[in-house]
Each structure stands twice: as structure tokens, then as C-alpha cells.
Amino acid sequence: MSELVTRIADNVGIAPDVAEKALGMMLGFLQREADDGAVARMIEAMPGAAELVAQYNGEGKKGGLLSGLMSAMGGGIMGLGQQLMSLGLGMGEISALAKETIAIAREHAGSEVVDEVVASVPGLSQFV
């Protein structure tokens, strides 16, 4: 299990397998929704992040079945919230997951890159 998943599980207070899926979903959401260059640099800088995205959310696909399902559920941040709730996470855990993910991203990719990612996703800044 990766250092990222262990840290998310410990700091958010969720099971490691749930943390792994949730982190992969969150990073996949950012990969689809954020500025392509910035999010690519961010994911590349985080050890094991690209593999989590590929395993749990498709590998950089814009469109396809998952995107269609998210659009049907409201898409965007709301769609991601629905996905995470389907894993059994509550709002407090989702908020903690988002904040911890961004904190980890800042440590590995730097604040400038992460700020660019956050700024490029409408509404994301209010959650992180």
C-alpha cells in the first residue's frame, strides 16, 4: 500500500481499502476537470497517484461511461460527492479527504501547481 493511501486512511479515519478507492476517485476527478498541464504535473509528482487514477477512475479519459454516469448524477463536484458517499463516506470524511489530498499534493508538487489546479475547477476552492 502506498504512503499516500496510508496517510489518507490514518488522517481521515477510514479503512485503507476505502482510502485507496476514494483517493483514486478524487484524483481522477481532478484529472478530468482541472487544467490539463497543472493536474498532470501534480499527479506525476505524487508517488503512486497515476496508478490510483488508472485503477479507480480510468486513465485520463475525458468522456466514456464514468463521465456519463457522473453527468447523470449531476457531474462535477456533486457527482464526485455522490461517488464518495457510495463508498460509505460522510460529509466530514469527504471534507477531510479533500483537504488531506490537497495538503499531500502541495508537499509533492508545490503550492503554485496545486493552486492552479484548484483555481481551474469551479467551486473546488470552497472545499479545500
Side-chain angles (χ1 to χ4, degrees):
M1 178 165 324
S2 80
E3 164 197 336
L4 299 179
V5 171
T6 301
R7 180 169 163 185
I8 293 283
D10 290 347
N11 292 349
V12 177
I14 57 178
D17 62 322
V18 173
E20 182 176 84
K21 290 175 191 170
L23 182 58
M25 289 175 172
M26 182 162 288
L27 292 172
F29 165 79
L30 291 173
Q31 186 177 55
R32 284 189 312 277
E33 301 290 329
D35 174 76
D36 287 341
V39 79
R41 289 190 306 275
M42 184 185 88
I43 289 172
E44 185 178 297
M46 297 170 68
E51 292 79 9
L52 286 175
V53 172
Q55 185 174 356
Y56 292 105
N57 228 16
E59 199 165 357
K61 297 178 182 139
K62 295 189 184 236
L65 178 62
L66 183 60
S67 179
L69 289 173
M70 285 185 63
S71 293
M73 293 189 302
I77 290 176
M78 297 306 290
L80 175 63
Q82 290 294 326
Q83 282 186 303
L84 295 172
M85 283 187 244
S86 75
L87 294 177
L89 300 180
M91 290 306 293
E93 292 163 324
I94 292 171
S95 177
L97 170 70
K99 289 176 178 154
E100 192 66 27
T101 300
I102 294 302
I104 291 168
R106 284 185 197 287
E107 291 171 17
H108 291 279
S111 289
E112 186 176 318
V113 170
V114 176
D115 288 346
E116 191 176 336
V117 169
V118 171
S120 70
V121 180
L124 181 60
S125 63
Q126 69 188 24
F127 295 100
V128 296

